[in-house]
Amino acid sequence: MKLIVAIVNDDDAPIIMDSLREEGFSVTKLSSSGGFLRLGNTTLISGVEEDRLPKLISVIEKEGKSRKQIAPVTPTFFEALQAPVEVTVGGATIFVLDVEQFIKI
């Protein structure tokens, strides 16, 4: 068994979660925030049998495409010199961890 920790964009999370559920995966949602530009993220956690891992990853990949977006810059001393910047959002960071034991009560 594997434990999946997937960090996705807040805008992508609802459709990713719906698609995962439609495919029979259980998923837990945690709110989180990113370090760069403090954009909202969602952390999804799911336990999955190893043979279903490729399907879970493909669902996240399909529904969480990366895209360009204009984001404001945090004001500083040189505020007049700063303009919004184009950043890439979406996509996912997925951690796959081995599970030694799984107990559901």
Side-chain angles (χ1 to χ4, degrees), residues 1-3 47-50 97-103:
M1 176 162 264
K2 302 292 183 181
L3 175 67
V48 62
E49 295 297 332
E50 194 164 350
L97 304 131
D98 289 322
V99 174
E100 191 171 312
Q101 186 177 17
F102 171 74
I103 301 169

Side-chain angles (χ1 to χ4, degrees), residues 28-45:
T28 299
K29 173 186 168 186
L30 302 171
S31 297
S32 54
S33 62
F36 183 67
L37 298 177
R38 309 246 190 271
L39 296 174
N41 290 324
T42 297
T43 301
L44 303 176
I45 300 173

